[in-house]
């Protein structure tokens, strides 16, 4: 397939035929050209890519994207079994001045024996959920909350 590929993101341009005389900085992007379907796909989000036919062959690995590690998920302060989450409240001073604050749930990391799976399961639970599990059992509370313990 013969094509000139140009990817633009904001004021930046990338291409196999961009001249070095232009003052625009180059940005590398990973691009795949599908000659049968006639479209171009990119691994970077928000990039507009145009494909123009010309008389040269483009190697498949001309452009490459830098390695960026994915963001790690942040643990939320919500109990998965009871659904308890932080409460918005006012902090009232001696002069009756009120400022907003959060009252967080008392979450604890707890290893609980799961009888059906014959192993310990490490969970982040509210203290209310721990008391409920001690009373009713882990399987019953997890089933009511709709949680699959085999994934944990």
């Amino acid at each position: 397939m013969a094509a000139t590929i140009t990817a633009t993101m904001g004021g930046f341009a990338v291409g196999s035929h961009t001249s070095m005389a232009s003052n625009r900085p180059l940005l590398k992007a990973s691009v795949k050209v599908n000659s049968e379907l006639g479209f171009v796909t990119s691994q970077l989000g928000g990039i507009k890519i145009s494909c123009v036919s010309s008389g040269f062959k483009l190697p498949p690995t001309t452009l490459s994207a830098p390695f960026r590690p994915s963001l790690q998920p942040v643990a939320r302060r919500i109990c998965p079994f009871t659904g308890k989450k932080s409460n918005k409240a006012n902090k009232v001073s001696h002069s009756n001045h009120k400022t907003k604050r959060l009252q967080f749930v008392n979450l604890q990391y707890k290893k609980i024996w799961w009888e059906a799976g014959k192993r310990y399961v490490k969970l982040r639970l509210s203290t209310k959920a721990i008391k409920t599990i001690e009373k009713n059992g882990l399987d019953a509370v997890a089933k009511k909350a709709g949680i699959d313990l085999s994934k944990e």
Side-chain angles (χ1 to χ4, degrees):
M1 186 195 121
T4 299
I5 297 176
T6 305
T8 59
M9 182 176 200
F12 300 101
V14 173
S16 56
H17 279 286
T18 55
S19 65
M20 296 307 279
S22 66
N23 291 331
R24 293 185 282 182
L26 294 178
L27 174 71
K28 291 186 178 181
S30 176
V31 176
K32 291 182 189 174
V33 178
N34 190 338
S35 59
E36 297 168 1
L37 300 176
F39 65 87
V40 178
T41 59
S42 169
Q43 291 179 353
L44 296 175
I47 291 184
K48 296 177 184 174
I49 299 175
S50 60
C51 183
V52 180
S53 297
S54 67
F56 75 96
K57 279 207 156 201
L58 184 67
T61 59
T62 301
L63 302 173
S64 63
F67 174 73
R68 292 184 185 151
S70 61
L71 296 174
Q72 295 295 324
V74 178
R76 296 176 63 197
R77 291 179 171 145
I78 296 177
C79 177
F81 285 84
T82 59
K84 287 180 172 284
K85 55 186 177 181
S86 56
N87 180 40
K88 290 181 182 173
N90 282 323
K91 178 180 174 184
V92 182
S93 68
H94 178 69
S95 64
N96 208 23
H97 180 75
K98 296 171 182 69
T99 54
K100 292 287 184 186
R101 66 171 295 249
L102 285 176
Q103 295 172 336
F104 294 115
V105 183
N106 188 6
L107 292 175
Q108 306 292 324
Y109 285 101
K110 183 86 173 158
K111 278 184 9 179
I112 299 174
W113 177 254
W114 180 34
E115 191 62 39
K118 301 288 189 232
R119 64 183 176 99
Y120 280 98
V121 181
K122 188 174 182 182
L123 300 168
R124 190 176 190 206
L125 305 168
S126 64
T127 51
K128 179 70 175 178
I130 293 171
K131 290 173 74 174
T132 307
I133 288 170
E134 287 175 0
K135 181 179 178 183
N136 299 330
L138 182 61
D139 285 325
V141 177
K143 184 177 178 183
K144 185 176 180 183
I147 295 173
D148 187 16
L149 292 173
S150 59
K151 294 179 185 177
E152 302 287 326

